[in-house]
Amino acid sequence: MAGKKLSFAIFGSNRQALETACIREVLDYLTKCEAQIFIEERFYENLCKVLNKKVQVSGVIKEEDFHTDYAISLGGDGTFLRAAGKVGAKKIPIIGVNMGRLGFLANVLPSEIKETLDDIYNGNFDIDERSVIKIESENGSIETYPYALNDISILKRDNASMITIHASIDGEYLVTYQADGLIVSTPTGSTAYSLSNGGPIIVPRGGILSLTPVAPHSLNIRPIVLSDDVEIRFEVESRSHNYLVAIDGRSETLEESTVLSIRKAPFVIRIVKRRTHSYFSTLRTKLMWGADLRK
């Protein structure tokens, strides 16, 4: 470890990360290594309250005003997605520590954090690059961060009637969905909201996207898998004259006349992968495949 001066940005789920000793272990370890430590502003404020003292760090992260060697996400997949949104195109590798339940993205256990940081300093890890998608509107009405690591969903509002979504691929009409919504998922997001609606599981770096309808009116409408180099265009009709767009869970209401397009983003999110972990092992564990088999 000698001679390596690294910097880390820490993002946390207040409820989960603050209730454990994990954040203290991380801070103690990084302080011992003389690393520069930057902590997300809200998480930092709550951490100081819990510890009843001012935590000594190199800086507090406000918005996207940081650049470090690594980022650490302490929480569940929701915290990881928020960290990924802050990292954006910075190419900073993210270490996801799982303090939630399922944890496909945040796959380092709290008990493994010291070993994982040892691996970082010793160069004993791999980088998993995950594709990102971007949404745009023809009238520029989308105000939230337009990039998604998991998925972008077009949904009806509250208890409104189902919506009608006309979908085109690279300018060619595909189909009209009458449904509660439609999910455009990356391979990373295929084990999230899309999976709960019957979408396919797609391995990382598969080079494809999936369209999965939410409660479609017709039984003939099924999920479809597309190459990720296409542009997907949507025109939406709604009896309430508006609809929701959810971008990795960040929702925004749009007017019915808003035409949307989704395509692959020009950057990837880089995830630190321990060499003792594998994607298929994670799938078997998280989805409990084989749990009903008798030896």
Side-chain angles (χ1 to χ4, degrees), residues 290-295:
D292 58 341
L293 299 179
R294 299 179 183 273
K295 294 185 178 180

Side-chain angles (χ1 to χ4, degrees), residues 218-237:
S218 172
L219 293 177
N220 293 328
I221 297 296
R222 300 293 180 181
I224 184 171
V225 172
L226 306 165
S227 171
D228 67 2
D229 61 359
V230 301
E231 179 185 11
I232 311 169
R233 187 173 184 271
F234 300 111
E235 296 182 43
V236 182
E237 297 175 24

Side-chain angles (χ1 to χ4, degrees), residues 48-110:
C48 292
K49 289 179 182 178
V50 169
L51 298 180
N52 197 28
K53 67 177 182 179
K54 201 78 171 176
V55 180
Q56 295 301 312
V57 294
S58 301
V60 176
I61 298 170
K62 299 178 181 180
E63 301 302 327
E64 290 82 35
D65 62 339
F66 71 98
H67 192 89
T68 56
D69 295 306
Y70 297 91
I72 301 175
S73 167
L74 300 171
D77 282 355
T79 306
F80 191 101
L81 290 174
R82 192 174 75 250
K86 297 291 185 182
V87 166
K90 297 177 189 292
K91 299 183 179 180
I92 299 172
I94 305 174
I95 305 163
V97 182
N98 180 25
M99 296 179 179
R101 294 185 294 273
L102 207 52
F104 277 98
L105 288 169
N107 59 10
V108 175
L109 297 175

Side-chain angles (χ1 to χ4, degrees), residues 35 69 74 116 127 129 140 149 182 195:
D69 295 306
L74 300 171
T116 303
I127 294 292
E129 295 187 340
L149 175 60
L182 181 67
L195 182 63

Side-chain angles (χ1 to χ4, degrees), residues 25-188:
E25 291 183 32
V26 170
L27 293 176
D28 289 345
Y29 184 103
L30 296 181
T31 300
K32 183 178 179 181
C33 294
E34 299 181 354
Q36 287 187 307
I37 304 170
F38 299 84
I39 303 182
E40 180 184 24
E41 183 178 28
R42 184 177 176 185
F43 184 55
Y44 175 76
E45 292 172 352
N46 284 309
L47 179 62
C48 292
K49 289 179 182 178
V50 169
L51 298 180
N52 197 28
K53 67 177 182 179
K54 201 78 171 176
V55 180
Q56 295 301 312
V57 294
S58 301
V60 176
I61 298 170
K62 299 178 181 180
E63 301 302 327
E64 290 82 35
D65 62 339
F66 71 98
H67 192 89
T68 56
D69 295 306
Y70 297 91
I72 301 175
S73 167
L74 300 171
D77 282 355
T79 306
F80 191 101
L81 290 174
R82 192 174 75 250
K86 297 291 185 182
V87 166
K90 297 177 189 292
K91 299 183 179 180
I92 299 172
I94 305 174
I95 305 163
V97 182
N98 180 25
M99 296 179 179
R101 294 185 294 273
L102 207 52
F104 277 98
L105 288 169
N107 59 10
V108 175
L109 297 175
S111 60
E112 299 174 327
I113 185 60
K114 288 185 178 180
E115 294 176 3
T116 303
L117 291 172
D118 279 339
D119 289 343
I120 293 295
Y121 274 92
N122 293 322
N124 184 32
F125 65 95
D126 295 317
I127 294 292
D128 197 2
E129 295 187 340
R130 301 293 184 92
S131 60
V132 177
I133 51 178
K134 179 183 181 181
I135 185 168
E136 295 177 293
S137 62
E138 289 187 353
N139 61 4
S141 59
I142 296 177
E143 297 179 356
T144 189
Y145 182 70
Y147 297 99
L149 175 60
N150 260 2
D151 50 52
I152 296 173
S153 302
I154 302 170
L155 303 166
K156 71 175 187 177
R157 287 195 63 201
D158 305 320
N159 295 321
S161 301
M162 68 177 69
I163 54 178
T164 300
I165 306 170
H166 306 284
S168 299
I169 309 298
D170 283 341
E172 181 180 351
Y173 172 70
L174 173 66
V175 71
T176 294
Y177 295 92
Q178 289 186 306
D180 285 354
L182 181 67
I183 307 162
V184 182
S185 172
T186 67
T188 300

